[in-house]
Amino acid sequence: MTAHGHSTGGYGSGRPELPDVDLRLQDLVLDSRDIAEFLNDLAVVAASRLSTLGNPILCGVTVIRHKRPEAVASSDAEAHSLDELQNGFGDGPCLTALRTRTMLLVPDLVREHRWEAYVRAAVARGVSSILAVPMDLAGEAEAVLNLYSGRVNGFSADGIATAEAFAGQAAGSLKLVLRITQLSEARNDLALALKSRTIIDMAIGAIMAENRCSRDTAFGILTKASSTRNVKLREVAAAVIASISGENEIGTYFDE
């Protein structure tokens, strides 16, 4: 039996709603310090919610953000190892589901003929079936729940419906966390840019005073030193100020 692709639908498709999960996800959004902590907690909740007696489910979460590093989280060390294994091969059911944005079920890895190298390695680690469920983040990022079972046909129809419902609810919380993270990153990027500008301006002023030259000439001296040494302009500027003041940490008026 080979893997089957399934398109994801809305709640009108008959997937169950999970009110208890909604409350737990709200707590995760409020309690998590950053996106990495949220994703790890999310993976743990997903694994707990989808596991049944005699069929423990491992969960990984992969998030690809635009112009930011990929974020990977897991419910435990084994799930992390399985995700890293797939990322190492650069292909597999979870990555395929992420790219196609379509749910993908592999009910029996032994009888699966795609992703042969990865499948062999996953089987050797005791995985028998995989369910990959993309999360709709409305273009803000791409994400997928990577679910692993040690049993053949480890995902029943009810289990698949529950996984889809969970992914749908988790997507809303993840979008909120991503927006909060983006605002925080934008603030940090702006603060760094302002600090860099301040340090560069201070260095230019110091060079102008020492060499009795124009601002353009002083800036040229800085940029030439940056290019010659293959060092960032901000670092060269900081070195100039440190050589004059003896201070390695330059404070700025907007520091908190």
Side-chain angles (χ1 to χ4, degrees), residues 175-193:
K175 281 192 288 187
L176 178 57
V177 170
L178 285 170
R179 288 172 186 171
I180 293 171
T181 300
Q182 287 165 0
L183 289 173
S184 177
E185 290 172 344
R187 174 185 176 280
N188 292 340
D189 289 346
L190 177 59
L192 181 60

Side-chain angles (χ1 to χ4, degrees), residues 11-30:
Y11 286 115
S13 62
R15 292 183 297 178
E17 293 190 23
L18 310 171
D20 58 322
V21 169
D22 249 348
L23 293 175
R24 184 72 183 95
L25 291 173
Q26 289 175 23
D27 289 341
L28 293 187
V29 172
L30 294 173

